[in-house]
Amino acid sequence: MSVKLTRKDEFAVITLDRQEALNALSAAVLRELAQAFGQVAASDARALIVTGAGAKAFCAGADIKELVGRSMSEQRRDAAFGQGVLACLDELPMPSVAAINGYAFGGGMELALACTFRIAAPTAKMGLPEIKLGLIPGYGGTQRLPRVIGEARALDIIMSGRTLDAEEALRIGLVHRVAEGDVLEAAIAYARQFNAYGLPALRLARDAVKRAHDVPLHEGLRIEADLNTLAFQTGDAAEGMNAFMEKRKPQFKDR
Ligand code: CAA
């Protein structure tokens, strides 16, 4: 198995461990990831951390050795499958944090982009180098990158295929933090801040922001009002407002 699902305190941790290929995403790895995301979704984990084994790579992208000689229909099927697997990550009921411990290229950067948050090691290197292979990103990079950092910067990165270091990634908002010590520990510490809040409200907040990209402003405002009303119906909302009135800390129960 190249995908290891473990538990660290209240968090699920998925580690890609295929170090001989810099943790590249073979078809088998994608299938294992799909299964692991399903297990995390059904678990009581407060957040998911995704990282790579070893000091060198988070994930060097799709397995190029498997791409060679693929027919058009095979590639169409693979792209749809890879996109579907990363959509499962994007839509988990809890926040996810990519702990980018080294190279995150191509599908590896797309995996990080499908996480809610990204924390990079100071030595991390990121990019979408598909153009250098005569390709373009296929696991969501052309869609998620501009949504995260804007069209101009996304075009620069995708059409040049250049490599970004952690400092630039932080400056342009591609990553949320650069870790000062161990990147996995930093990602867990980052995820821990959400323990104070209820998962339904966290999820509704994330979904409201993410759906904003797909619709005109008036429609987005309607979605916000709908999700805000949904949040209002939860026991956590009653508890949060009562706790404020009673000047005590709320005890959220995720419902
Ligand atoms: N697929 C398959 N194998 C890979 C791989 C990948 N994406 N990246 C690295 N490897 C393998 C290498 O072939 C090598 O194996 P061998 O020893 O058997 O030859 C091993 O991992 C170590 O790699 P390097 O010797 O190249 O290590 P390096 O430190 O010199 O270079 C690197 C590291 C700059 C990341 C370089 O390996 C590299 O450029 N990798 C490819 C990155 C890339 O182009 N990714 C995009 C893939 S396409 C894609 O992802 C499409 C999509 O949108 C889904």
Side-chain angles (χ1 to χ4, degrees):
M1 295 284 276
S2 304
V3 173
K4 308 231 165 17
L5 173 58
T6 54
R7 187 85 179 201
K8 169 88 176 157
D9 304 329
E10 62 275 44
F11 304 111
V13 179
I14 286 180
T15 307
L16 293 180
D17 191 357
R18 204 180 157 230
Q19 295 179 57
E20 69 284 3
L22 302 185
N23 303 327
L25 299 173
S26 62
V29 169
L30 279 174
R31 283 195 296 272
E32 287 180 37
L33 270 178
Q35 203 181 1
F37 293 147
Q39 284 175 258
V40 173
S43 78
D44 64 351
R46 300 295 308 179
L48 167 66
I49 316 293
V50 181
T51 194
K56 206 167 168 187
F58 173 74
C59 169
D63 190 315
I64 300 170
K65 291 167 189 166
E66 285 186 359
L67 299 182
V68 177
R70 223 179 235 174
S71 71
M72 271 176 79
S73 61
E74 283 167 340
Q75 182 50 32
R76 190 75 181 77
R77 201 174 53 219
D78 174 80
F81 180 64
Q83 289 179 357
V85 173
L86 297 196
C88 295
L89 170 59
D90 206 348
E91 291 159 17
L92 282 175
M94 64 284 283
S96 54
V97 185
I100 305 171
N101 54 307
Y103 299 125
F105 288 131
M109 176 148 144
E110 292 169 303
L111 177 68
L113 282 166
C115 289
T116 326
F117 303 101
R118 287 158 291 284
I119 310 291
T123 52
K125 300 267 184 269
M126 286 154 266
L128 292 172
E130 285 89 342
I131 201 83
K132 296 178 184 171
L133 300 167
L135 298 172
I136 72 166
Y139 294 165
T142 65
Q143 304 305 301
R144 289 199 179 90
L145 187 63
R147 285 167 162 79
V148 171
I149 61 170
E151 180 186 295
R153 285 181 166 134
L155 284 172
D156 167 54
I157 289 167
I158 291 168
M159 295 179 71
S160 70
R162 70 186 179 83
T163 298
L164 288 79
D165 60 20
E167 197 183 310
E168 181 181 4
L170 180 67
R171 182 166 51 76
I172 66 174
L174 174 57
V175 302
H176 296 79
R177 299 275 190 280
V178 175
E180 284 178 7
D182 180 75
V183 68
L184 182 59
E185 289 303 324
I188 287 173
Y190 187 85
R192 194 157 273 134
Q193 68 181 304
F194 303 116
N195 285 356
Y197 309 123
L199 289 179
L202 287 168
R203 183 179 181 177
L204 290 169
R206 180 198 67 190
D207 290 353
V209 170
K210 293 217 165 200
R211 287 169 68 180
H213 297 291
D214 306 327
V215 293
L217 179 64
H218 70 274
E219 182 70 14
L221 289 171
R222 196 182 57 72
I223 290 170
E224 182 189 76
D226 288 348
L227 298 188
N228 166 279
T229 307
L230 250 182
F232 214 83
Q233 307 311 307
T234 63
D236 282 349
E239 166 63 8
M241 289 183 282
N242 283 337
F244 176 81
M245 302 302 281
E246 293 160 14
K247 298 191 187 298
R248 61 173 173 83
K249 265 186 86 170
Q251 300 291 322
F252 294 125
K253 296 208 161 53
D254 295 335
R255 52 174 194 250

